[in-house]
Coordinates of all heavy atoms in Angstrom, one line a residue:
M1123 N 2.7 -14.5 7.3 CA 2.8 -13.2 6.8 C 3.5 -13.2 5.4 O 3.1 -12.5 4.5 CB 3.7 -12.4 7.7 CG 3.8 -11.0 7.3 SD 4.8 -10.0 8.4 CE 5.8 -9.1 7.3
I1124 N 4.5 -14.1 5.2 CA 5.2 -14.1 3.9 C 4.3 -14.7 2.9 O 4.3 -14.1 1.7 CB 6.5 -15.0 4.1 CG1 7.5 -14.3 5.0 CG2 7.1 -15.3 2.7 CD1 8.7 -15.1 5.3
Q1125 N 3.5 -15.6 3.2 CA 2.5 -16.2 2.2 C 1.5 -15.1 1.8 O 1.1 -15.0 0.7 CB 1.8 -17.4 2.8 CG 1.0 -18.2 1.8 CD 1.9 -18.7 0.6 OE1 3.0 -19.1 0.8 NE2 1.3 -18.6 -0.6
K1126 N 1.0 -14.3 2.8 CA 0.1 -13.3 2.5 C 0.7 -12.2 1.6 O 0.0 -11.8 0.7 CB -0.4 -12.6 3.8 CG -1.5 -11.7 3.7 CD -2.0 -11.1 5.0 CE -3.1 -10.2 4.8 NZ -3.5 -9.6 6.1
K1127 N 2.0 -11.9 1.8 CA 2.7 -11.0 0.9 C 2.8 -11.5 -0.5 O 2.6 -10.8 -1.5 CB 4.1 -10.8 1.5 CG 4.8 -9.6 1.0 CD 6.1 -9.4 1.9 CE 6.8 -8.1 1.5 NZ 8.0 -7.9 2.3
K1128 N 3.1 -12.8 -0.6 CA 3.2 -13.5 -1.9 C 1.9 -13.5 -2.6 O 1.8 -13.2 -3.8 CB 3.8 -14.9 -1.8 CG 5.2 -14.9 -1.5 CD 5.7 -16.3 -1.4 CE 7.2 -16.4 -1.1 NZ 7.7 -17.8 -1.0
D1129 N 0.8 -13.7 -1.9 CA -0.5 -13.7 -2.5 C -0.9 -12.3 -3.0 O -1.5 -12.2 -4.1 CB -1.6 -14.2 -1.5 CG -1.4 -15.7 -1.2 OD1 -0.8 -16.4 -2.0 OD2 -1.9 -16.1 -0.1
L1130 N -0.5 -11.3 -2.2 CA -0.8 -9.9 -2.6 C 0.0 -9.6 -3.9 O -0.6 -9.0 -4.8 CB -0.4 -9.0 -1.5 CG -0.7 -7.5 -1.7 CD1 -2.2 -7.3 -1.8 CD2 -0.1 -6.7 -0.6
I1131 N 1.2 -10.0 -3.9 CA 2.0 -9.7 -5.1 C 1.4 -10.4 -6.4 O 1.4 -9.8 -7.4 CB 3.5 -10.1 -4.9 CG1 4.1 -9.2 -3.9 CG2 4.3 -10.2 -6.2 CD1 5.5 -9.6 -3.4
K1132 N 1.0 -11.7 -6.2 CA 0.4 -12.4 -7.3 C -0.9 -11.7 -7.8 O -1.1 -11.7 -9.0 CB 0.1 -13.8 -6.9 CG 1.3 -14.7 -6.9 CD 0.9 -16.1 -6.5 CE 2.1 -17.0 -6.3 NZ 1.7 -18.4 -5.8
T1133 N -1.7 -11.2 -6.9 CA -3.0 -10.6 -7.4 C -2.7 -9.3 -8.0 O -3.5 -8.9 -8.9 CB -3.9 -10.4 -6.2 OG1 -3.3 -9.6 -5.2 CG2 -4.4 -11.7 -5.6
L1134 N -1.7 -8.5 -7.7 CA -1.5 -7.2 -8.2 C -0.5 -7.2 -9.4 O -0.3 -6.2 -10.0 CB -1.0 -6.2 -7.1 CG -2.0 -6.0 -6.0 CD1 -1.4 -5.2 -4.9 CD2 -3.3 -5.3 -6.5
A1135 N 0.2 -8.3 -9.6 CA 1.3 -8.3 -10.6 C 0.7 -8.1 -12.0 O -0.3 -8.6 -12.3 CB 2.1 -9.6 -10.5
I1136 N 1.5 -7.4 -12.8 CA 1.1 -7.1 -14.2 C 1.5 -8.4 -15.0 O 0.7 -8.8 -15.9 CB 1.9 -5.9 -14.7 CG1 1.5 -4.7 -13.9 CG2 1.6 -5.7 -16.2 CD1 2.3 -3.4 -14.2
N1137 N 2.6 -8.9 -14.8 CA 3.0 -10.2 -15.5 C 3.6 -11.1 -14.5 O 3.7 -10.8 -13.3 CB 4.0 -9.9 -16.7 CG 5.2 -9.2 -16.2 OD1 5.8 -9.5 -15.2 ND2 5.6 -8.2 -17.0
S1138 N 4.0 -12.3 -14.9 CA 4.5 -13.3 -13.9 C 5.8 -13.0 -13.2 O 6.0 -13.4 -12.1 CB 4.7 -14.7 -14.7 OG 5.7 -14.5 -15.7
K1139 N 6.6 -12.2 -13.8 CA 7.9 -11.8 -13.2 C 7.9 -10.5 -12.5 O 8.9 -10.0 -12.0 CB 9.0 -11.8 -14.2 CG 9.2 -13.2 -14.9 CD 10.5 -13.4 -15.5 CE 10.6 -14.7 -16.2 NZ 11.6 -15.6 -15.7
D1140 N 6.8 -9.8 -12.4 CA 6.6 -8.5 -11.8 C 6.7 -8.6 -10.3 O 5.9 -9.3 -9.7 CB 5.3 -7.9 -12.2 CG 5.1 -6.5 -11.7 OD1 6.1 -5.9 -11.4 OD2 4.0 -6.0 -11.7
V1141 N 7.6 -7.9 -9.7 CA 7.7 -7.9 -8.2 C 7.9 -6.4 -7.7 O 7.9 -6.3 -6.5 CB 8.9 -8.7 -7.7 CG1 8.6 -10.2 -7.9 CG2 10.2 -8.4 -8.3
G1142 N 8.1 -5.4 -8.5 CA 8.4 -4.1 -8.0 C 7.6 -3.0 -8.7 O 8.0 -1.8 -8.5
S1143 N 6.5 -3.3 -9.4 CA 5.8 -2.2 -10.1 C 5.1 -1.3 -9.0 O 5.0 -1.7 -7.9 CB 4.8 -2.8 -11.0 OG 3.8 -3.5 -10.3
A1144 N 4.6 -0.2 -9.5 CA 4.0 0.8 -8.6 C 2.7 0.1 -8.0 O 2.4 0.4 -6.8 CB 3.6 2.0 -9.4
E1145 N 2.0 -0.7 -8.7 CA 0.8 -1.4 -8.2 C 1.2 -2.2 -7.0 O 0.5 -2.2 -6.0 CB 0.2 -2.2 -9.3 CG -0.4 -1.4 -10.4 CD 0.6 -1.1 -11.5 OE1 1.8 -1.3 -11.4 OE2 0.1 -0.7 -12.6
I1146 N 2.2 -3.0 -7.1 CA 2.6 -3.9 -6.0 C 3.1 -3.1 -4.8 O 2.8 -3.4 -3.7 CB 3.7 -4.9 -6.5 CG1 3.1 -5.9 -7.5 CG2 4.3 -5.6 -5.3 CD1 4.0 -6.8 -8.1
Q1147 N 3.9 -2.0 -5.1 CA 4.4 -1.2 -4.0 C 3.2 -0.6 -3.2 O 3.2 -0.5 -2.0 CB 5.3 -0.1 -4.5 CG 6.6 -0.6 -5.0 CD 7.5 0.5 -5.5 OE1 7.6 1.5 -4.9 NE2 8.1 0.3 -6.7
I1148 N 2.2 -0.1 -3.9 CA 1.0 0.4 -3.3 C 0.3 -0.6 -2.4 O -0.1 -0.3 -1.3 CB 0.1 1.0 -4.4 CG1 0.7 2.3 -5.0 CG2 -1.3 1.4 -3.8 CD1 0.0 2.8 -6.2
G1149 N 0.2 -1.8 -3.0 CA -0.5 -2.9 -2.2 C 0.3 -3.2 -0.9 O -0.3 -3.4 0.1
L1150 N 1.6 -3.3 -1.0 CA 2.4 -3.7 0.1 C 2.4 -2.5 1.2 O 2.3 -2.8 2.4 CB 3.9 -4.0 -0.3 CG 4.0 -5.2 -1.1 CD1 5.5 -5.4 -1.6 CD2 3.6 -6.5 -0.3
L1151 N 2.4 -1.3 0.7 CA 2.3 -0.1 1.6 C 1.0 -0.1 2.3 O 0.9 0.2 3.5 CB 2.6 1.2 0.9 CG 4.1 1.5 0.6 CD1 4.2 2.6 -0.4 CD2 4.8 1.7 1.9
S1152 N -0.1 -0.4 1.6 CA -1.4 -0.4 2.2 C -1.5 -1.5 3.3 O -2.1 -1.3 4.3 CB -2.5 -0.7 1.1 OG -2.5 0.3 0.2
N1153 N -0.9 -2.6 3.0 CA -0.8 -3.7 4.0 C -0.1 -3.2 5.3 O -0.5 -3.4 6.4 CB -0.2 -4.9 3.4 CG -0.3 -6.2 4.3 OD1 -1.2 -6.2 5.1 ND2 0.5 -7.1 4.0
K1154 N 1.0 -2.5 5.1 CA 1.9 -2.0 6.2 C 1.1 -1.0 7.0 O 1.1 -1.0 8.2 CB 3.2 -1.4 5.6 CG 4.1 -0.9 6.7 CD 5.4 -0.4 6.0 CE 6.3 0.2 7.0 NZ 7.5 0.7 6.4
I1155 N 0.4 -0.1 6.2 CA -0.4 1.0 6.9 C -1.5 0.4 7.7 O -1.8 0.8 8.9 CB -0.9 1.9 5.8 CG1 0.2 2.8 5.3 CG2 -2.0 2.8 6.4 CD1 -0.1 3.5 4.0
Q1156 N -2.1 -0.7 7.2 CA -3.2 -1.3 8.0 C -2.7 -2.0 9.3 O -3.3 -1.8 10.3 CB -3.9 -2.4 7.1 CG -5.0 -3.1 7.8 CD -6.2 -2.2 8.1 OE1 -6.5 -1.3 7.4 NE2 -6.7 -2.3 9.3
K1157 N -1.5 -2.6 9.2 CA -0.9 -3.2 10.4 C -0.5 -2.2 11.4 O -0.8 -2.4 12.6 CB 0.3 -4.0 10.0 CG 0.1 -5.3 9.3 CD 1.3 -6.1 9.0 CE 1.1 -7.3 8.3 NZ 2.3 -8.0 7.9
L1158 N 0.1 -1.1 10.9 CA 0.4 0.0 11.9 C -0.8 0.6 12.5 O -0.8 1.0 13.7 CB 1.3 1.0 11.2 CG 2.7 0.7 11.0 CD1 3.4 1.7 10.1 CD2 3.5 0.5 12.3
S1159 N -1.9 0.8 11.8 CA -3.1 1.4 12.3 C -3.7 0.5 13.4 O -4.1 0.9 14.5 CB -4.1 1.5 11.2 OG -3.7 2.5 10.3
D1160 N -3.6 -0.9 13.2 CA -4.1 -1.8 14.2 C -3.2 -1.7 15.4 O -3.7 -1.8 16.6 CB -4.1 -3.2 13.6 CG -5.2 -3.4 12.6 OD1 -6.1 -2.6 12.5 OD2 -5.1 -4.4 11.8
H1161 N -1.9 -1.6 15.2 CA -0.9 -1.5 16.3 C -1.2 -0.2 17.2 O -1.2 -0.3 18.4 CB 0.5 -1.4 15.7 CG 1.5 -1.1 16.7 ND1 2.0 -2.1 17.6 CD2 2.2 0.0 17.0 CE1 2.9 -1.5 18.4 NE2 3.1 -0.3 18.1
F1162 N -1.6 0.9 16.5 CA -1.8 2.1 17.3 C -3.1 2.0 18.1 O -3.3 2.8 19.0 CB -1.8 3.3 16.4 CG -0.5 3.7 15.9 CD1 -0.2 3.9 14.5 CD2 0.6 3.8 16.8 CE1 1.0 4.2 14.1 CE2 1.9 4.1 16.3 CZ 2.1 4.3 15.0
K1163 N -4.1 1.2 17.7 CA -5.3 1.0 18.5 C -5.0 0.4 19.8 O -5.6 0.7 20.8 CB -6.3 0.2 17.7 CG -6.9 0.9 16.5 CD -7.8 0.0 15.7 CE -8.3 0.8 14.5 NZ -9.0 -0.1 13.6
K1164 N -3.9 -0.5 19.9 CA -3.5 -1.1 21.1 C -2.6 -0.2 21.9 O -2.6 -0.1 23.1 CB -2.8 -2.4 20.8 CG -3.8 -3.5 20.3 CD -3.0 -4.7 20.0 CE -3.8 -5.7 19.2 NZ -3.0 -6.9 18.8
F1165 N -1.6 0.4 21.2 CA -0.5 1.1 21.9 C -0.6 2.6 21.4 O 0.1 3.0 20.5 CB 0.8 0.6 21.5 CG 0.9 -0.9 21.8 CD1 0.8 -1.8 20.8 CD2 1.2 -1.4 23.1 CE1 0.9 -3.2 21.0 CE2 1.2 -2.7 23.3 CZ 1.1 -3.6 22.3
K1166 N -1.4 3.4 22.1 CA -1.6 4.8 21.8 C -0.4 5.7 22.0 O -0.3 6.7 21.3 CB -2.8 5.3 22.5 CG -4.1 4.7 22.1 CD -5.3 5.3 23.0 CE -6.6 4.8 22.6 NZ -6.7 3.3 22.4
K1167 N 0.5 5.3 22.9 CA 1.6 6.2 23.2 C 2.9 5.9 22.4 O 3.9 6.4 22.7 CB 1.9 6.1 24.7 CG 0.8 6.6 25.6 CD 1.2 6.7 27.0 CE 0.1 7.3 27.8 NZ 0.5 7.4 29.2
D1168 N 2.8 5.0 21.4 CA 3.9 4.6 20.6 C 4.2 5.7 19.6 O 3.6 5.8 18.5 CB 3.7 3.3 19.9 CG 4.9 2.8 19.2 OD1 5.9 3.5 19.2 OD2 4.8 1.7 18.6
K1169 N 5.1 6.6 20.0 CA 5.3 7.8 19.1 C 6.4 7.5 18.0 O 6.5 8.2 17.0 CB 5.8 9.0 19.9 CG 4.7 9.5 20.9 CD 3.5 9.9 20.2 CE 2.4 10.3 21.2 NZ 1.1 10.4 20.6
H1170 N 7.3 6.5 18.3 CA 8.3 6.3 17.3 C 7.8 5.6 16.0 O 8.3 5.9 14.9 CB 9.4 5.3 17.9 CG 10.2 6.0 19.0 ND1 11.1 6.9 18.8 CD2 10.1 5.9 20.4 CE1 11.6 7.4 19.9 NE2 11.0 6.7 20.9
S1171 N 6.8 4.8 16.1 CA 6.2 4.2 14.9 C 5.3 5.1 14.1 O 5.0 4.9 13.0 CB 5.4 3.0 15.4 OG 6.2 2.0 16.0
T1172 N 4.9 6.3 14.7 CA 4.1 7.2 14.0 C 4.8 7.8 12.8 O 4.2 8.1 11.8 CB 3.5 8.3 14.9 OG1 4.6 9.0 15.5 CG2 2.6 7.8 15.9
M1173 N 6.1 7.9 13.0 CA 7.0 8.4 11.9 C 6.9 7.5 10.7 O 6.8 7.9 9.5 CB 8.4 8.7 12.4 CG 9.2 9.5 11.5 SD 8.7 11.2 11.5 CE 10.0 11.9 10.8
G1174 N 7.1 6.2 11.0 CA 7.0 5.2 9.9 C 5.7 5.2 9.2 O 5.6 5.0 8.0
L1175 N 4.6 5.3 10.0 CA 3.3 5.4 9.4 C 3.1 6.6 8.5 O 2.6 6.5 7.4 CB 2.2 5.4 10.5 CG 0.8 5.5 10.1 CD1 0.4 4.3 9.3 CD2 -0.2 5.7 11.2
A1176 N 3.6 7.7 9.0 CA 3.5 8.9 8.1 C 4.3 8.8 6.8 O 3.8 9.2 5.8 CB 4.0 10.1 8.9
K1177 N 5.5 8.2 6.9 CA 6.3 8.0 5.7 C 5.6 7.1 4.8 O 5.6 7.3 3.5 CB 7.7 7.5 6.1 CG 8.6 8.5 6.7 CD 9.9 7.9 7.0 CE 10.9 8.9 7.7 NZ 12.2 8.4 8.0
S1178 N 5.0 6.0 5.3 CA 4.3 5.0 4.4 C 3.1 5.6 3.7 O 2.9 5.4 2.5 CB 3.9 3.8 5.3 OG 5.0 3.2 5.8
V1179 N 2.4 6.4 4.5 CA 1.2 7.1 3.9 C 1.6 8.0 2.8 O 1.0 8.1 1.7 CB 0.4 7.8 5.0 CG1 -0.7 8.7 4.4 CG2 -0.3 6.8 5.9
N1180 N 2.6 8.8 3.0 CA 3.1 9.8 2.0 C 3.7 9.1 0.8 O 3.4 9.5 -0.3 CB 4.1 10.7 2.6 CG 3.5 11.7 3.6 OD1 2.4 12.1 3.4 ND2 4.3 12.2 4.6
K1181 N 4.4 8.0 1.0 CA 4.9 7.3 -0.2 C 3.8 6.7 -1.0 O 3.9 6.7 -2.2 CB 5.9 6.2 0.3 CG 6.6 5.5 -0.8 CD 7.8 4.7 -0.3 CE 8.5 4.1 -1.5 NZ 9.9 4.2 -1.5
R1182 N 2.8 6.1 -0.3 CA 1.7 5.6 -1.1 C 0.9 6.6 -1.8 O 0.5 6.4 -3.0 CB 0.7 4.8 -0.1 CG -0.4 4.2 -0.8 CD -1.3 3.4 0.1 NE -2.1 4.3 0.9 CZ -3.1 4.0 1.7 NH1 -3.3 2.7 2.0 NH2 -3.7 4.9 2.4
K1183 N 0.8 7.8 -1.2 CA 0.1 8.9 -1.9 C 0.9 9.4 -3.1 O 0.3 9.6 -4.2 CB 0.0 10.1 -0.9 CG -0.7 11.3 -1.4 CD -0.8 12.4 -0.3 CE -1.4 13.6 -0.8 NZ -1.4 14.7 0.2
K1184 N 2.2 9.4 -3.0 CA 3.0 9.8 -4.2 C 2.9 8.7 -5.3 O 2.8 9.1 -6.5 CB 4.5 9.9 -3.8 CG 4.8 11.2 -3.0 CD 6.3 11.2 -2.7 CE 6.5 12.4 -1.8 NZ 8.0 12.4 -1.3
L1185 N 2.9 7.5 -4.9 CA 2.8 6.4 -5.9 C 1.4 6.4 -6.6 O 1.3 6.2 -7.8 CB 3.1 5.0 -5.3 CG 4.5 4.7 -5.0 CD1 4.6 3.5 -4.1 CD2 5.3 4.5 -6.3
L1186 N 0.4 6.7 -5.8 CA -1.0 6.8 -6.4 C -1.1 7.9 -7.4 O -1.7 7.8 -8.4 CB -2.0 6.9 -5.3 CG -2.3 5.6 -4.6 CD1 -3.2 5.9 -3.3 CD2 -3.1 4.6 -5.5
S1187 N -0.5 9.1 -7.0 CA -0.6 10.2 -8.0 C 0.2 9.9 -9.2 O -0.2 10.3 -10.3 CB -0.1 11.5 -7.3 OG 1.3 11.4 -7.0
Y1188 N 1.4 9.2 -9.1 CA 2.1 8.8 -10.3 C 1.3 7.9 -11.2 O 1.3 8.1 -12.4 CB 3.4 8.1 -9.8 CG 4.1 7.3 -10.9 CD1 4.9 8.0 -11.9 CD2 4.0 6.0 -11.0 CE1 5.5 7.3 -12.9 CE2 4.6 5.3 -12.1 CZ 5.3 5.9 -13.0 OH 5.9 5.2 -14.0
L1189 N 0.7 6.9 -10.5 CA -0.1 5.9 -11.3 C -1.3 6.6 -12.0 O -1.7 6.3 -13.1 CB -0.6 4.8 -10.3 CG -0.9 3.5 -10.9 CD1 0.4 2.9 -11.6 CD2 -1.4 2.5 -9.9
K1190 N -1.9 7.6 -11.3 CA -3.0 8.3 -11.9 C -2.6 9.1 -13.1 O -3.4 9.1 -14.1 CB -3.6 9.2 -10.8 CG -4.9 9.8 -11.2 CD -5.5 10.6 -10.1 CE -6.9 11.2 -10.4 NZ -7.5 11.9 -9.3
R1191 N -1.4 9.6 -13.1 CA -0.9 10.4 -14.3 C -0.5 9.5 -15.4 O -0.8 9.7 -16.6 CB 0.3 11.2 -13.9 CG 0.0 12.5 -13.2 CD 1.3 13.3 -13.0 NE 2.0 12.7 -11.9 CZ 3.3 12.4 -12.0 NH1 4.0 12.5 -13.1 NH2 3.9 11.8 -10.9
K1192 N 0.2 8.4 -15.1 CA 0.8 7.5 -16.1 C -0.1 6.4 -16.6 O -0.1 6.1 -17.8 CB 2.1 6.9 -15.6 CG 3.2 7.9 -15.2 CD 3.7 8.6 -16.5 CE 4.8 9.6 -16.1 NZ 5.4 10.2 -17.2
K1193 N -0.8 5.8 -15.7 CA -1.7 4.7 -16.1 C -3.1 4.8 -15.4 O -3.3 4.1 -14.4 CB -1.1 3.3 -15.7 CG 0.3 3.1 -16.2 CD 0.8 1.8 -15.6 CE 2.3 1.5 -15.9 NZ 2.8 0.4 -15.2
P1194 N -4.0 5.6 -15.9 CA -5.2 5.8 -15.3 C -6.1 4.6 -15.1 O -6.8 4.4 -14.1 CB -6.0 6.8 -16.2 CG -5.0 7.3 -17.1 CD -3.8 6.4 -17.1
K1195 N -6.0 3.6 -16.0 CA -6.8 2.4 -15.9 C -6.3 1.5 -14.8 O -7.1 1.0 -14.0 CB -6.8 1.6 -17.2 CG -7.6 2.3 -18.3 CD -7.6 1.5 -19.6 CE -8.4 2.2 -20.7 NZ -8.4 1.5 -21.9
S1196 N -5.0 1.4 -14.7 CA -4.4 0.7 -13.6 C -4.7 1.3 -12.2 O -4.9 0.6 -11.2 CB -2.9 0.6 -13.8 OG -2.3 -0.2 -12.8
Y1197 N -4.7 2.7 -12.2 CA -5.1 3.4 -11.0 C -6.5 3.1 -10.5 O -6.7 2.8 -9.3 CB -4.9 4.9 -11.3 CG -5.5 5.8 -10.2 CD1 -4.7 6.0 -9.0 CD2 -6.7 6.4 -10.3 CE1 -5.2 6.8 -8.0 CE2 -7.2 7.2 -9.3 CZ -6.4 7.4 -8.2 OH -6.9 8.2 -7.2
E1198 N -7.4 3.1 -11.4 CA -8.8 2.8 -11.1 C -8.9 1.3 -10.6 O -9.6 1.1 -9.6 CB -9.7 2.9 -12.3 CG -9.9 4.4 -12.7 CD -10.6 5.2 -11.7 OE1 -11.4 4.7 -11.0 OE2 -10.2 6.4 -11.6
K1199 N -8.2 0.4 -11.2 CA -8.2 -1.0 -10.8 C -7.7 -1.1 -9.4 O -8.3 -1.8 -8.5 CB -7.4 -1.8 -11.8 CG -7.3 -3.3 -11.4 CD -6.4 -4.0 -12.4 CE -6.0 -5.3 -11.8 NZ -4.8 -5.9 -12.5
I1200 N -6.6 -0.5 -9.1 CA -5.9 -0.6 -7.7 C -6.9 0.0 -6.7 O -7.0 -0.6 -5.6 CB -4.6 0.2 -7.7 CG1 -3.5 -0.6 -8.5 CG2 -4.1 0.4 -6.3 CD1 -3.1 -1.9 -7.8
I1201 N -7.5 1.2 -7.0 CA -8.4 1.8 -6.0 C -9.5 0.9 -5.7 O -9.9 0.7 -4.5 CB -8.9 3.2 -6.6 CG1 -7.7 4.2 -6.7 CG2 -10.0 3.7 -5.7 CD1 -7.1 4.6 -5.4
K1202 N -10.1 0.3 -6.7 CA -11.2 -0.7 -6.4 C -10.8 -1.9 -5.7 O -11.4 -2.4 -4.8 CB -11.9 -1.0 -7.7 CG -12.7 0.1 -8.3 CD -13.3 -0.3 -9.6 CE -14.0 0.9 -10.3 NZ -14.4 0.7 -11.6
Q1203 N -9.6 -2.5 -6.1 CA -9.1 -3.7 -5.6 C -8.8 -3.6 -4.1 O -9.1 -4.5 -3.3 CB -8.0 -4.2 -6.4 CG -7.6 -5.7 -6.2 CD -6.7 -6.2 -7.2 OE1 -6.2 -5.5 -8.0 NE2 -6.4 -7.5 -7.1
L1204 N -8.1 -2.5 -3.8 CA -7.6 -2.3 -2.4 C -8.6 -1.5 -1.5 O -8.4 -1.3 -0.3 CB -6.3 -1.6 -2.4 CG -5.1 -2.3 -3.0 CD1 -3.9 -1.4 -3.0 CD2 -4.9 -3.6 -2.3
N1205 N -9.7 -1.1 -2.2 CA -10.8 -0.3 -1.5 C -10.2 0.9 -0.7 O -10.5 1.1 0.4 CB -11.5 -1.3 -0.5 CG -12.8 -0.7 -0.1 OD1 -13.4 0.1 -0.7 ND2 -13.3 -1.2 1.0
L1206 N -9.5 1.7 -1.5 CA -8.8 2.9 -0.8 C -9.7 4.1 -0.8 O -10.2 4.5 0.3 CB -7.5 3.2 -1.6 CG -6.4 2.2 -1.4 CD1 -5.2 2.6 -2.3 CD2 -6.0 2.0 0.0
R1207 N -10.0 4.7 -1.9 CA -10.7 6.0 -1.9 C -12.2 5.7 -2.2 O -12.5 5.0 -3.1 CB -10.1 7.0 -2.9 CG -8.7 7.3 -2.5 CD -8.2 8.4 -3.4 NE -6.8 8.7 -2.9 CZ -5.9 9.1 -3.7 NH1 -6.1 9.4 -5.0 NH2 -4.7 9.4 -3.2
K1208 N -13.0 6.3 -1.4 CA -14.5 6.0 -1.6 C -15.2 7.1 -2.3 O -14.8 8.2 -2.4 CB -15.1 5.8 -0.2 CG -14.8 4.5 0.3 CD -14.4 4.5 1.7 CE -14.1 3.1 2.2 NZ -12.8 2.8 2.5

């Protein structure tokens, strides 16, 4: 899992020392959302984790809208790379 996270950071990083840009945060949140979605397919009655999923989705939505306003080219790149909006 840690190696997968590092690989994701490397692919989305703007420069070599970048670890916290909006692009990376969106990528990590997308990974977390995917894991929680898979978790809910197995455990339908897990209501406590639904709050974490909702918070993650809303945070990613805010970061995407920020990126769309500030850096439209980067926004398009992230959308295509993570295959988010169709």
Side-chain angles (χ1 to χ4, degrees):
M1123 182 181 138
I1124 292 174
Q1125 189 60 36
K1126 188 175 180 183
K1127 196 174 187 180
K1128 286 181 181 180
D1129 292 340
L1130 183 67
I1131 289 172
K1132 283 181 186 175
T1133 58
L1134 296 173
I1136 298 168
N1137 57 44
S1138 62
K1139 299 204 183 240
D1140 184 19
V1141 291
S1143 66
E1145 292 88 346
I1146 291 175
Q1147 290 181 46
I1148 290 168
L1150 293 175
L1151 283 170
S1152 296
N1153 192 18
K1154 181 178 179 181
I1155 289 167
Q1156 183 61 42
K1157 284 182 184 176
L1158 282 172
S1159 297
D1160 293 341
H1161 173 77
F1162 288 130
K1163 288 176 185 172
K1164 293 178 187 173
F1165 306 100
K1166 291 177 176 48
K1167 294 186 178 184
D1168 186 0
K1169 299 299 177 191
H1170 291 288
S1171 297
T1172 55
M1173 195 70 165
L1175 177 64
K1177 285 181 181 180
S1178 298
V1179 169
N1180 287 330
K1181 185 163 183 138
R1182 182 178 73 178
K1183 184 178 174 184
K1184 287 179 186 177
L1185 284 167
L1186 281 169
S1187 66
Y1188 165 80
L1189 206 60
K1190 191 174 184 177
R1191 277 185 288 125
K1192 298 291 183 179
K1193 302 177 191 174
K1195 289 182 182 177
S1196 183
Y1197 170 79
E1198 292 296 327
K1199 179 184 163 198
I1200 287 287
I1201 293 296
K1202 287 177 186 169
Q1203 197 168 5
L1204 296 176
N1205 197 21
L1206 292 177
R1207 296 185 179 154
K1208 282 136 178 115

